[in-house]
Amino acid sequence: MTTAANRPPRLVVGLGNPGTEYSETRHNAGFWFCERLADQLGVRFSHESRFHGLVANARDAGIMLLMPQTFMNRSGQAIGALARFYRIEPAEILLVHDELDVPPGQLRLKFGGGLGGHNGLKDTSAHLNTNDYWRLRIGIGHPGDRNEVVNYVLKSARREEQTLIDEAVDRALLAWPVLARGDWTAATQRLNTRPAPPKPPKSPKAPRPAAESRVAPDNTKDETQL
C-alpha cells in the first residue's frame, strides 16, 4: 500500500441509481450507506448540478458525501467533477458500492485493485485516471448465472438477504470513527472479519413430572359420623 493510501478520507461516495423505482434495489447499497452516514453526521443532502449529484458537507468532520445522480454507468462524471473542484486526491476517496462476489451480510474494504466488472467502478476509474482509491464493498450475493446479473442487481433483495445487508451497513457505520481518522489497517481488520453465525436457540426444557404425594392416606373413620 502506498503512503498516499494512508490519508484520511475527504470524500465518501455512495453508488446507486436515482429515482424511486431503484431506491430499494440491490444496486443502491452504496446510497443506503451514504444516507445513513449523513444522518449519523447530522447533515443533509442538496442537489448540486455542477457535481451532477446530491452533496452533503460535514464540515466539522472534514468530510463530503456524494451520491451521483447520473446513473451507475456514469458515476465517474460526478465523482471526477467534485474531486477536481475541491482538489481531492483519489486516495482520499472512499467509494461504497454493492458487490456480487461477497455474500449478503459481509463487507470488504480494500484499496485499488481490479474493478470486477462493476460499471460504477469502471467509470470512476476512467474519470480519475486510476484505480487507486478506497472501496467499501457491501455484499449482495450472486444470482449464480452471469446472464441474470443485470436483472438481479436491479431488483430488491429477499427479506432475509435484506436483513443481512442492513446488519452489514450497521457494522460499517459503527466503524465510521476508525475510517474517518484514516486508520485503514484497523478498519480493514474490523470490517473484513466475517460476523459470527447466530447461536441456535436453546431447546425448551421439558417440564418436570409432578412429584408424588408423600402423605399417607388417612384410612381412619370419623366416629362422629357413625
Side-chain angles (χ1 to χ4, degrees):
M1 189 184 300
T2 65
T3 303
N6 293 319
R7 300 175 185 175
R10 294 176 57 202
L11 172 61
V12 178
V13 182
L15 295 188
N17 287 309
T20 55
E21 65 269 39
Y22 297 109
S23 62
E24 302 300 322
T25 63
R26 295 177 174 96
H27 225 14
N28 275 38
F31 276 12
W32 303 339
F33 175 85
C34 263
E35 288 166 347
R36 292 184 55 189
L37 180 59
D39 289 341
Q40 185 169 305
L41 296 175
V43 295
R44 293 186 177 182
F45 285 97
S46 60
H47 190 270
E48 294 277 357
S49 57
R50 59 181 170 168
F51 302 135
H52 315 285
L54 299 175
V55 179
N57 193 346
R59 292 181 177 85
D60 292 343
I63 300 287
M64 299 195 73
L65 309 180
L66 170 66
M67 295 193 297
Q69 300 295 289
T70 49
F71 288 94
M72 184 66 79
N73 61 354
R74 296 178 60 200
S75 299
Q77 181 181 4
I79 298 166
L82 191 149
R84 287 191 296 272
F85 185 86
Y86 287 103
R87 298 181 181 179
I88 297 173
E89 296 295 323
E92 298 172 318
I93 297 173
L94 172 63
L95 200 67
V96 187
H97 65 91
D98 59 299
E99 178 56 61
L100 288 162
D101 294 329
V102 176
Q106 294 185 27
L107 301 161
R108 294 291 185 274
L109 179 66
K110 63 175 290 189
F111 180 77
L115 307 179
H118 196 293
N119 288 333
L121 296 180
K122 288 179 181 179
D123 198 60
T124 297
S125 291
H127 280 267
L128 296 178
N129 294 313
T130 182
N131 290 354
D132 291 341
Y133 48 88
W134 284 95
R135 304 96 178 267
L136 176 58
R137 302 183 290 173
I138 301 174
I140 61 169
H142 197 285
D145 182 349
R146 60 183 300 178
N147 296 319
E148 291 295 322
V149 164
V150 173
N151 186 49
Y152 179 79
V153 300
L154 295 180
K155 282 190 174 181
S156 300
R158 296 194 301 269
R159 181 179 298 179
E160 62 273 18
E161 293 175 339
Q162 189 63 53
T163 297
L164 292 171
I165 294 169
D166 290 340
E167 290 173 353
V169 173
D170 287 342
R171 294 201 315 278
L173 291 168
L174 287 172
W176 170 248
V178 184
L179 291 165
R181 64 175 179 258
D183 191 347
W184 299 106
T185 300
T188 300
Q189 292 173 346
R190 183 168 176 176
L191 294 173
N192 291 13
T193 301
R194 296 183 181 182
K199 294 181 179 179
K202 294 182 179 179
S203 55
K205 294 182 178 179
R208 292 182 178 179
E212 295 181 0
S213 176
R214 296 184 180 179
V215 180
D218 186 358
N219 294 324
T220 59
K221 295 181 180 180
D222 188 347
E223 294 182 354
T224 61
Q225 296 181 12
L226 295 177

